[in-house]
Amino acid sequence: MGWVEQPHTLPAYRRRGLAAAGLAALRRDNPGYAWHTLGGHIDGSPAFWDTVGADVPGGYRPRRVCEHVTAGG
């Protein structure tokens, strides 16, 4: 499992493909990993996550938090 916590791009650099390139590089350099985030940011940027997840099996979608990453799990 790979983890990206709170991905963020400064406003002056948004909409230039930097975050998408970073996520693509992580997937390319670490094949076979399942990538997760926990920041709750997917709801705020659905078009971005749809675009960067277009070639990702299962895409990027909010899912239930796994018991292995919850406190006490």
Side-chain angles (χ1 to χ4, degrees):
M1 176 188 309
W3 191 272
V4 177
E5 185 59 33
Q6 297 289 349
H8 177 76
T9 304
L10 294 173
Y13 299 98
R14 290 183 184 157
R15 311 219 32 99
R16 297 182 184 197
L18 297 174
L23 291 169
L26 285 171
R27 291 190 311 269
R28 181 188 64 242
D29 293 347
N30 301 280
Y33 278 54
W35 288 96
H36 299 268
T37 67
L38 191 59
H41 43 271
I42 289 178
D43 292 339
S45 326
F48 169 78
W49 292 104
D50 286 345
T51 299
V52 299
D55 295 327
V56 176
Y60 288 105
R61 293 285 178 263
R63 293 179 176 88
R64 184 181 64 80
V65 176
C66 176
E67 64 187 45
H68 297 95
V69 295
T70 58

